[in-house]
Amino acid sequence: MIPGLTPSARIARRTLATAAVLALAAAPAWVASSPPAGAASYPTSHTLSLSFLQDPGQPPDPDVYYAGEGLLLTRNMYEGLLTYKPDTAKRVLEPDLATSWSVSKNGLVYTFQLRHGVLFHDGTTFTSAAIAPDFARRAAVNGGPAYMVSDVASVATPNPYEAVINLKTPNSAFLDYLAAPYGPAMMSPTALAANAGSDNAQTYLETHDVGTGPYTLTEAKVGVMYQMKAFPQYWGPKPYYTTISLPVIDDLSTEEIEFNDGQMAAILHDMTTSVIAQYKAKANVTSYSLPSLQSDTAYVNENKGFMTTSANRLAVLGAINVPSLVAGIFPGRGTAAKQAGPTGLIAEPYGKQNIAYDPSKLKDLVKRLPASQRSFTVGYDTGAPDDQLLAEDIGAELQADGLATKVVGYQTSEIFGWVGDVAASQGPGSPNLLIDYFWPDTYNTYTWTHISFDPSGGLQYVNCDSVPDETNLNTQALQTGSLSTYNKVIENAVKSGCWLNIVDKDDAMVAQPWLKGVAQAHVVAYPEMLFLAKLHPG
């Protein structure tokens, strides 16, 4: 079935992705703190100035791009057959370049009726003939998102505006793949062929695009500046902002200065709790708190020190006061996790975590440990300020229970280097407990349970192998969509004591008071402001 994601693909996805890239979780869908009407006049320029906090890190090629921030480019230049409906906290699939679809009873045949009157940015017409070359190109490039087309057996085109996709095996997540921000985006087959070169047009797409979206790429200077302009022949509503300026800024403080001076329309991500609080107190700024499918998770190293049994691992996890941590670190932008993964990916009562706070078990355990086993390292991803705060507070809690804790930061590349390398993950420099953040590729349970709990899934940072039969159960669940089968996967993972979901995080951003049209809820892994064509002053 779907192969595990390679460490390099996951690093690319994570290095520049932040708490601002996810959406569609539980209600309330949207909370905004708005200034009084008429608090500020708005500029009449048709140029919208935003920014990237550091470079997106990969070309804006939808078959390659697998991080976070750069989706602001790829998903405004390219479109897929389906999309997730904005402005709702629910999973709702809606048409994009396909206007309707049907699925056969055996789950193998997907039939799509396609939108008329759509042009690629090279001026050629979008028809069903674009789909097979698009899927083939994604498979050939073999980037992180390539698994989304791995089950496609063939694509038939009965007429220019009908496509029939045949799968090798049933895949209950396939429609979500097509709607996902990392999903297959339609590209001009003419342009791909003309600029194929020796790398399937990857070099060409570093500085050009061949999509159908409302914007087209006009500048791509790595580490310096990106720019998009409105495509005059776009099939949908014409955007107010005809130019999107996206300079690359190295640090948040510089972004704050430029935003405060009115040079930028919004700060999109990576704000600390204190900065968020400061902006919420300002009457001349609109602050947003948006639901997210992002979680911060504790990953337990099952083969270090006394953590070799599930009972001992669960004693450690039970000593973490989740509600207290969330209240202190995520006030107004996160809730204590009740399910083992992001809220909303599997319906309640499935997916329960059932790890009660009870530090007495760890205190009793520590008393029985020899002094040599009481040393305990809590690690965190240095690219995530929230994770550092969590690690520090958890370290303090465990120390109060008798462990000799230290808190250590690890580079993202080092963390991903442990995946599949048991010796490295158990080495003297690795942590007993790692705090890191996660979000799924789609609004589908499989892209949580497979990636997190399956040994082949890509996020087995410290190589927990105490969960029985996860690969087979995940494969069965993908084929059938059975929530009870997914729940078995989750129950096994919880019982292993290898994971603890700590917080379901909201997305925070701030904007100038005149900027209107911000989506009231996001779609999985979309950065806020994704729907640039809907923004306008007012």
Side-chain angles (χ1 to χ4, degrees), residues 303-363:
N303 290 307
K304 292 207 72 172
F306 65 91
M307 306 289 277
T308 55
T309 69
S310 60
N312 288 358
R313 295 191 293 270
L314 287 167
V316 171
L317 296 181
I320 297 174
N321 190 339
V322 170
S324 177
L325 289 173
V326 174
I329 298 173
F330 304 96
R333 63 186 186 100
T335 56
K338 295 180 180 179
Q339 293 182 299
T343 296
L345 279 185
I346 188 167
E348 294 188 32
Y350 298 115
K352 289 185 177 179
Q353 194 154 240
N354 294 327
I355 300 177
Y357 175 58
D358 181 5
S360 66
K361 293 181 180 179
L362 179 60
K363 290 178 180 179

Side-chain angles (χ1 to χ4, degrees), residues 16 23 47 89 165 256 339 342 348-349 480 510:
L16 294 166
T47 295
I165 300 174
E256 290 180 56
Q339 293 182 299
E348 294 188 32
T480 64
V510 295

